Amino acid sequence: TDKPELRFDMKMQDGNALAEMGRIFEEQKLPFSYNLTKEKLHASRLAREGYEKGFRKFAILGGDGTINEVINGIPNLDEVEIAIIPSGTGNDFALPLGIPEEPWDAIQTMLISPSKKVDIMEGNGIKTVCFATTGLDIPVVDYCNSLKYKDKKSYEKGIVKILPKYKSDDYQIIADGESFSTKAIFVGVVNGGILASGLSLCPPASATDGKIDVVIITSKGLFDSIKKLSALKKGNLLLLDGIKHIC
């Protein structure tokens, strides 16, 4: 069948978006079905089940994590179209693509805009649409996940908490035929320019350019780290000394 299969990562604020989407689809006489995710990796199972039933059009009401789960559940992504209605904390993948953060506007975009091909990264058998990172990002994300309530400032608060005690790690980098060793506080393989609710990690990166970008942040000490991480908010990180960008 060619009807949309709607997959939702439901949170308290998603209820109105779900009701509105159902109303619009009924008005447009577009047949649809939906499922609500209940636990981690549930979206992957739901997506695979939908694909095996013959669905080839999916919509996700959720954030970056839900998108990653869905793409890992679909056996052949070349056969499907996926719409995104952002409702996560950061929506780091959707917003650079021009998808509105307001659910009503995102639904309208889904109905009238043509689909476009996007790049997907894969490592160790796991696909992701946004980025794969190591270094400072790991304890900061652990901190964010420990919070009972998260908002768009949680990641920045995590940096403030973790950074003073964080030390550079040793890395062996192999990219575009180049191999080198370096000490760094952050290494990111990125598919888009935004990290953690709007921090501008790599403005040139795009999910539609057929390229993957690598950003390496080195540090001479705490004050140097603060300067560089402050540049994430200003969008000029790549202009600073001690930043290596591979594209």
Side-chain angles (χ1 to χ4, degrees), residues 174-179:
I174 302 174
D176 286 348
E178 181 182 4
S179 178

Side-chain angles (χ1 to χ4, degrees), residues 5-9 35 46-47 49-51 58-61 70:
E5 172 82 340
L6 304 187
R7 302 296 190 182
F8 299 101
D9 176 31
N35 294 89
L46 292 172
E49 291 169 6
Y51 179 89
F58 296 78
I60 302 167
L61 175 58
V70 168

Side-chain angles (χ1 to χ4, degrees), residues 34 37 78 92 108 141 149 153 164 167 175-176 185 203 237:
Y34 68 88
T37 58
D78 289 332
D92 298 325
Q108 295 300 315
V141 169
Y149 300 105
K153 296 295 183 181
K167 305 298 182 183
D176 286 348
I185 61 169
L237 176 69

Side-chain angles (χ1 to χ4, degrees), residues 213-233:
D213 295 68
V214 179
V215 177
I216 303 168
I217 304 177
T218 63
S219 173
K220 298 176 182 178
L222 177 59
F223 291 108
D224 188 45
S225 296
I226 292 173
K227 176 183 177 181
K228 288 171 179 173
L229 294 173
S230 297
L232 286 171
K233 297 187 68 173

